[in-house]
């Protein structure tokens, strides 16, 4: 039976790490002992190591349920680069590819199989599951199984079907953010038997949480970028704002770059890598950025727009300071943004009338007849749907998200200009084919050089245009060669998807509230509003340590203030109680609003508090740039 010594050896030999991070070894010991395990590791805590290392030392297959296509691809590629045979099955693949990969999982070709939750109930998977050598079941992003969580995915409830088929296989569930109620729900839904639960503290002692109220947020962000050393991340809600803010910062001499889901997959990878290598200092992004990122020297994470919930904010802010050094986590509040946030949250779950109307329009647009399914990715034309319906992009996105979550369609929003290729024939068969088809000889030699050696049996991601340039052939000829080799079963080839795509996984039918268990969406809407209220409570809080709010939100019985957030700094600097602090601050602001005064005038004319207290409050307001000093030395309210 493998033990921790085996795990330490694998960690060093395969991953090159000298030792485990705090908490990882205890989690791995639980997994190796065959116990059901729930691990709550904050962002940057090294979740993947907790199942990938035991998956390597346990004989057999590790089955990983993961909700995000991009994250699956990223983790599989990382494992492949380490020489570990791994693959994924999700909606981006055609039926032949799915069948080939599942057959490979049965035959022992892979150590890790990543599976989208929507694929659990498919006939092709259910038929093969009993014959797969699964020895460990992993549920990543486990909060998705809970209706109390912030990212509920109905397909996650089907994981019980796997447990029913493999009752002796232990499960490890991992998440970076789960409230106590979500933790209980995870254990119940996964039918965990006497689970070992590991919780790391949500306290990040090196993060300094601030909430700043600003009229001109872009200008304040510029000043932060100018005054703060190191690299940074700036989050915004929309692609348009991301591009506009990145252009503004670049125009002011900041090495900034924009990142969002509307960019080609290869370009996003290029931008991300350039930022990781410090070619760009600041990355301005939507929440499409950050999954799996572990850059140690991020000194600031700024939120131009507020996120919808504290779980998202904590995860995104937590991408700063992973080297243990101080990092700023600043969220901005400004009137129009809060109104937009409430509007977006109110539209997150469509009405029944909207959902059914959009489904019918979608079927008509793609000429899907009653009872017909179409499990082939076809190009998605959002503009056509907008024209047909007269509805907004946001309304359509929310309807598509629900239809996708229910497994009625598969909506692949992001375009992907990478192709994926892998040899599946024996070397002798490939050489025989080369001799029989001389016109393919040069291309097959190129493939053998490119995919040979250790990577021979692994799936490789590539850019077709880049390969075409190397071969000095037109891209269409490259595609022809790859298609022919795939047809003759020498390779498995997944071509790029240059446009967003859609599949109709279920035959066209009349949607029913009973079939979709529509009541749960009413419940989810209520939960979403509740989490938004918690987020706004955090933002409008003026008296409680921000780190404590986050810790207590996630169920920690914490009482010690961090001493570093904007609330704690205010208390520390003034050394007055809440009521005195508010009174002194109010009088100073009222006086400055009425008079453009000197520093000394303010201290003399404000009556509240003692002179030393008044000066400390005034310094606090200056540090926060609530009050500013003009060129003549007078003080006034910041614009």
């Amino acid at each position: 039976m493998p033990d921790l010594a085996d795990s330490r050896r694998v960690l060093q030999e395969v991953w090159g790490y000298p030792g485990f991070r705090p908490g990882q070894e205890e989690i791995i010991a639980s997994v190796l002992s065959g116990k059901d395990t729930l691990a709550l590791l904050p962002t940057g805590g090294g979740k993947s190591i907790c199942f990938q290392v035991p998956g390597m030392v346990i004989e057999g297959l590790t089955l990983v349920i993961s909700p995000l296509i991009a994250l699956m691809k990223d983790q599989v590629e990382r494992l492949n680069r380490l020489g570990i045979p791994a693959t994924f099955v999700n909606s981006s693949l055609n039926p032949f590819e799915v069948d080939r990969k599942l057959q490979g999982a049965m035959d022992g070709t892979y150590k890790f199989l990543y599976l989208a939750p929507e694929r659990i109930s498919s006939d092709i998977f259910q038929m093969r599951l009993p014959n797969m050598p699964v020895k460990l079941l992993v549920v990543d992003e486990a909060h998705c199984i809970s209706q109390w969580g912030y990212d509920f995915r109905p397909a996650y409830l089907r994981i019980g079907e796997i447990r029913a088929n493999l009752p002796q296989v232990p499960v490890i569930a991992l998440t970076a953010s789960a409230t106590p109620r979500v933790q209980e729900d995870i254990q119940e839904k996964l039918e965990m038997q006497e689970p070992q639960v590991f919780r790391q503290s949500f306290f990040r002692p090196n993060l300094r949480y601030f909430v700043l109220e600003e009229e001109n947020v872009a200008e304040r962000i510029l000043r932060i970028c100018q005054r703060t050393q190191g690299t940074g991340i700036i989050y915004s809600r929309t692609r348009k704002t991301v591009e506009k803010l990145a252009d503004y910062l670049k125009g002011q001499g900041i090495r900034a770059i924009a990142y969002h889901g509307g960019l080609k997959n290869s370009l996003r990878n290029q931008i991300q890598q350039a930022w990781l290598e410090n070619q760009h200092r600041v990355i301005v992004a939507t929440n499409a950025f950050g999954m799996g990122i572990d850059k140690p020297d991020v000194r600031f994470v700024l939120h131009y727009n507020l996120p919808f919930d504290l779980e998202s904010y904590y995860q995104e802010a937590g991408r700063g300071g992973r080297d243990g050094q101080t990092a700023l986590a600043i969220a901005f509040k400004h009137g129009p943004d809060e109104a937009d946030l409430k509007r977006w949250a109110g539209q997150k779950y469509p009405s029944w009338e909207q959902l059914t109307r959009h489904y019918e329009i979608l079927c008509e647009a793609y000429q899907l007849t009653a009872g017909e399914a179409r499990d082939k990715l076809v190009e998605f034309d959002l503009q056509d749907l907008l024209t047909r319906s007269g509805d907004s992009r946001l309304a359509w996105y929310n309807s598509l998200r629900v239809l996708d979550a229910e497994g009625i369609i598969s909506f692949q929003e992001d375009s992907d200009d990478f192709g994926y290729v892998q040899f599946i024939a024996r070397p002798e068969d490939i050489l025989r084919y080369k001799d029989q088809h001389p016109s393919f000889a040069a291309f097959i030699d190129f493939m053998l050089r490119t995919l040979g050696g250790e990577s021979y049996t692994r799936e490789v991601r590539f850019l077709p245009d880049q390969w075409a340039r190397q071969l000095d052939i037109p891209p269409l000829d490259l595609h022809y060669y790859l298609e022919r080799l795939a047809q003759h079963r020498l390779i498995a080839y997944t071509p790029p998807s240059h446009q967003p795509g859609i599949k109709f996984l279920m035959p066209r039918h009349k949607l029913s509230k009973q079939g979709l268990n529509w009541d749960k969406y009413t419940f989810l809407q209520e939960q979403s509003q509740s989490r938004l209220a918690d987020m706004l409570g955090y933002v409008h809080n003026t008296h409680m340590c921000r780190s404590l709010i986050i810790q207590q939100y996630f169920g920690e019985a914490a009482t010690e203030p961090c001493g570093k957030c904007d609330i704690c700094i205010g208390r520390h600097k003034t050394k007055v109680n809440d009521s005195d602090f508010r009174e002194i601050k109010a009088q100073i602001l009222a006086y400055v609003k009425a008079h453009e005064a000197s520093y000394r005038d303010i201290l003399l004319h404000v009556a509240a508090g003692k002179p030393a207290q008044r000066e400390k409050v005034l310094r606090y307001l200056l540090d926060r740039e609530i009050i500013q000093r003009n060129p003549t030395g007078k003080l006034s309210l910041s614009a």
Side-chain angles (χ1 to χ4, degrees):
M1 181 177 177
D3 57 20
L4 280 174
D6 297 316
S7 298
R8 296 186 192 106
R9 176 181 53 78
V10 166
L11 183 74
Q12 293 170 4
E13 293 179 358
V14 179
W15 273 270
Y17 297 145
F20 290 107
R21 293 182 184 180
Q24 288 180 330
E25 198 163 278
E26 293 83 357
I27 294 168
I28 290 172
S30 174
V31 173
L32 293 178
S33 68
K35 296 174 181 175
D36 287 345
T37 306
L38 173 59
L40 288 96
L41 295 175
T43 300
K47 288 190 299 172
S48 59
I49 286 292
C50 293
F51 66 83
Q52 289 175 351
V53 168
M56 284 296 292
V57 301
I58 295 172
E59 186 176 349
L61 177 70
T62 294
L63 178 60
V64 185
I65 309 300
S66 179
L68 299 173
I69 290 176
L71 185 60
M72 274 189 205
K73 290 179 178 178
D74 181 63
Q75 291 206 5
V76 166
E77 284 181 10
R78 290 186 185 188
L79 290 170
N80 286 169
R81 284 197 296 269
L82 293 171
I84 299 170
T87 193
F88 60 82
V89 170
N90 57 42
S91 61
S92 69
L93 305 176
N94 61 51
F96 168 72
E97 283 298 291
V98 172
D99 184 65
R100 181 185 67 81
K101 292 188 175 192
L102 293 180
Q103 186 63 44
M106 285 175 53
D107 297 341
T109 304
Y110 307 110
K111 284 293 290 179
F112 293 88
L113 171 62
Y114 282 72
L115 186 74
E118 289 76 15
R119 289 282 163 177
I120 293 172
S121 293
S122 66
D123 292 340
I124 192 171
F125 176 73
Q126 288 292 326
M127 287 170 56
R128 285 164 171 72
L129 178 60
N131 298 314
M132 289 183 186
V134 178
K135 300 301 179 184
L136 177 63
L137 174 61
V138 180
V139 182
D140 200 9
E141 308 297 334
H143 58 271
C144 292
I145 204 171
S146 174
Q147 292 186 190
W148 300 98
Y150 73 99
D151 193 19
F152 175 62
R153 299 280 291 266
Y156 259 63
L157 297 175
R158 298 168 187 157
I159 297 174
E161 299 172 25
I162 298 178
R163 299 225 72 187
N165 276 287
L166 305 170
Q168 304 305 316
V169 174
V171 61
I172 174 172
L174 306 105
T175 181
S177 53
T179 62
R181 194 158 201 173
V182 172
Q183 295 171 36
E184 293 173 7
D185 211 19
I186 291 171
Q187 296 174 58
E188 179 185 335
K189 293 293 195 316
L190 292 177
E191 300 177 11
M192 288 184 159
Q193 305 298 314
E194 300 180 357
Q196 299 290 302
V197 181
F198 298 89
R199 301 181 184 88
Q200 284 192 5
S201 174
F202 287 86
F203 177 49
R204 292 286 304 277
N206 60 317
L207 281 190
R208 300 182 64 192
Y209 295 103
F210 283 74
V211 174
L212 302 181
E213 187 164 8
E214 290 288 338
E215 288 296 325
N216 191 333
V217 177
E219 187 177 301
R220 185 61 182 275
I221 285 175
L222 172 63
R223 293 204 297 271
I224 292 170
C225 292
Q226 291 170 334
R227 295 176 182 179
T228 309
Q229 299 296 314
T231 59
I233 305 170
I234 304 170
Y235 281 106
S236 181
R237 197 175 302 126
T238 67
R239 297 173 182 180
K240 182 178 179 181
T241 306
V242 163
E243 301 241 355
K244 185 176 178 181
L245 182 56
D247 287 343
Y248 169 71
L249 293 175
K250 282 188 285 188
Q252 299 297 319
I254 303 296
R255 289 184 292 114
I257 192 72
Y259 180 108
H260 56 70
L263 303 173
K264 293 288 187 184
N265 195 314
S266 60
L267 182 55
R268 292 204 305 271
N269 278 269
Q270 181 182 333
I271 290 169
Q272 178 175 297
Q273 193 59 37
W275 177 74
L276 288 171
E277 295 172 358
N278 293 327
Q279 295 175 34
H280 303 291
R281 183 172 162 238
V282 176
I283 191 161
V284 187
T286 62
N287 62 6
F289 173 79
M291 195 65 69
I293 291 295
D294 194 14
K295 184 172 171 59
D297 61 342
V298 177
R299 298 275 71 86
F300 55 93
V301 179
L302 313 180
H303 278 81
Y304 180 95
N305 299 113
L306 299 174
F308 289 99
D309 45 62
L310 275 171
E311 289 94 337
S312 301
Y313 179 68
Y314 177 75
Q315 289 196 33
E316 290 162 8
R319 289 169 186 141
R322 293 192 179 180
D323 56 3
Q325 302 301 309
T326 298
L328 294 173
I330 301 177
F332 292 95
K333 64 174 180 177
H334 45 108
D337 179 58
E338 189 171 319
D340 286 343
L341 183 67
K342 291 176 179 178
R343 179 175 59 84
W344 279 46
Q347 297 177 8
K348 187 175 182 181
Y349 294 98
S351 68
W352 177 252
E353 292 72 25
Q354 175 186 306
L355 183 72
T356 53
R357 188 168 62 87
H358 282 174
Y359 177 62
E360 291 300 320
I361 292 172
L362 192 64
C363 291
E364 289 298 325
Y366 289 92
Q367 300 179 344
L368 198 72
T369 59
E372 180 187 0
R374 201 172 291 167
D375 192 15
K376 180 180 179 182
L377 197 69
V378 293
E379 188 174 315
F380 179 72
D381 188 349
L382 177 59
Q383 191 56 52
D384 178 53
L385 298 176
L386 297 178
T387 302
R388 288 171 181 262
S389 66
D391 293 331
S392 68
R393 290 174 178 269
L394 180 60
W396 266 101
Y397 174 78
N398 288 330
S399 291
L400 292 168
R401 183 177 53 81
V402 171
L403 293 170
D404 182 89
E406 290 292 333
I408 295 170
I409 66 168
S410 172
F411 176 47
Q412 189 172 315
E413 183 183 9
D414 297 337
S415 59
D416 187 353
D417 49 351
F418 283 111
Y420 297 84
V421 66
Q422 177 181 358
F423 277 124
I424 56 176
R426 296 176 302 174
E428 55 268 31
D429 293 332
I430 295 169
L431 294 175
R432 186 181 304 113
Y433 185 92
K434 174 187 168 185
D435 292 338
Q436 294 171 351
H437 299 81
S439 63
F440 279 75
F443 181 72
I444 290 175
D445 284 340
F446 171 80
M447 293 286 288
L448 289 170
R449 288 195 306 272
T450 306
L451 304 184
E454 293 182 358
S455 65
Y456 179 84
T457 59
R458 296 206 304 272
E459 187 170 66
V460 172
R461 184 174 72 169
F462 71 99
L463 283 170
D465 288 348
Q466 189 178 78
W467 276 17
R469 283 195 300 273
Q470 289 177 257
L471 287 161
D472 194 23
I473 60 175
L476 282 177
D477 287 358
L478 175 71
H479 180 69
Y480 168 76
Y481 285 136
L482 291 167
E483 286 282 1
R484 284 295 299 274
L485 293 182
Q487 288 170 4
H488 290 115
R489 303 295 177 91
L490 270 69
I491 64 170
Y493 168 50
T494 304
S497 171
H498 291 293
Q499 298 294 331
I502 192 168
K503 292 181 184 180
F504 293 87
L505 303 178
M506 284 188 184
R508 180 176 177 178
H509 63 287
K510 186 176 178 60
L511 299 181
S512 70
K513 288 186 177 181
Q514 183 178 5
L516 268 63
N517 187 12
W518 189 251
D519 287 346
K520 75 170 173 281
Y521 284 99
T522 302
F523 176 79
L524 291 173
Q525 178 85 49
E526 294 170 354
Q527 292 304 303
S528 176
Q529 293 296 331
S530 175
R531 288 192 298 275
L532 175 58
D534 288 329
M535 182 71 228
L536 295 177
Y538 171 87
V539 168
H540 291 293
N541 159 68
T542 60
H543 63 281
M544 183 175 177
C545 167
R546 298 203 184 276
S547 186
L548 275 182
I549 292 176
I550 291 172
Q551 288 172 265
Q552 292 180 12
Y553 180 80
F554 288 115
E556 288 187 34
T559 57
E560 187 67 29
C562 71
K564 297 179 179 181
C565 70
D566 56 341
I567 304 299
C568 288
I569 288 174
R571 298 299 168 268
H572 173 71
K573 285 191 171 185
T574 59
K575 295 182 181 177
V576 293
N577 60 39
D578 286 351
S579 60
D580 287 345
F581 175 85
R582 286 193 293 267
E583 180 61 26
I584 296 171
K585 177 182 174 183
Q587 288 196 22
I588 290 176
L589 293 178
Y591 186 79
V592 173
K593 185 177 182 180
H595 310 84
E596 192 177 67
S598 69
Y599 189 94
R600 184 171 180 275
D601 287 340
I602 295 170
L603 295 179
L604 289 174
H605 287 89
V606 169
K610 298 177 181 178
Q613 292 174 322
R614 293 197 291 271
E615 183 170 12
K616 287 178 179 177
V617 173
L618 180 54
R619 288 186 179 278
Y620 166 74
L621 296 173
L622 283 165
D623 289 344
R624 289 285 305 277
E625 298 186 22
I626 296 170
I627 292 175
Q628 64 183 4
R629 195 186 303 268
N630 63 31
T632 66
K634 299 290 187 179
L635 302 182
S636 60
L637 293 179
S638 297

